[in-house]
Amino acid sequence: WSQGRGVARGAERIGVDEVDLLLPVARGYVSDGAGKVAVTIHHGSPFAYCWSVGDGAQKGPVLRQDGWKVGAMFRGPGPEFEATCVAISPDGQFACVGTRGGVVF
């Protein structure tokens, strides 16, 4: 999947290189039973990203714990919270993310 033309526009808007906004390499991918929603986790990141499968675009929320900032310049709370596994409910309404430190959110 592409992260879309929106990445280039966003980078230009905030004055950074496009590569600075790209997500790291995907570590895990899972989709719901209907194949409409997917969740990905990425190498070195504590966040999980919701995608619209039909569009192949990141449209949903960024899954994170309350208090964690989300942005190109924030890389997360620490390496023990790096997302290492993900599961999604059959209807696509719920996802669980496991971390390197053994915590499941």
Side-chain angles (χ1 to χ4, degrees):
W1 281 348
S2 167
Q3 292 178 47
R5 292 183 300 260
V7 173
R9 285 192 306 262
E12 184 178 322
R13 188 173 50 246
I14 63 173
V16 298
D17 290 331
E18 182 178 346
V19 72
D20 293 332
L21 296 183
L22 294 176
L23 293 172
V25 174
R27 164 175 260 165
Y29 166 92
V30 64
S31 66
D32 67 338
K36 294 182 179 182
V37 177
V39 178
T40 60
I41 56 174
H42 298 265
H43 182 72
S45 175
F47 306 120
Y49 297 85
C50 296
W51 298 79
S52 168
V53 174
D55 296 338
Q58 199 273 317
K59 289 189 170 183
V62 175
L63 304 178
R64 62 181 176 21
Q65 291 297 300
D66 283 340
W68 290 2
K69 298 176 186 175
V70 175
M73 303 305 167
F74 181 74
R75 297 295 178 214
E80 69 275 11
F81 291 102
E82 178 182 354
T84 56
C85 62
V86 62
I88 192 171
S89 64
D91 63 2
Q93 296 296 309
F94 303 96
C96 292
V97 179
T99 69
R100 185 187 331 174
V103 178
V104 175
F105 296 105

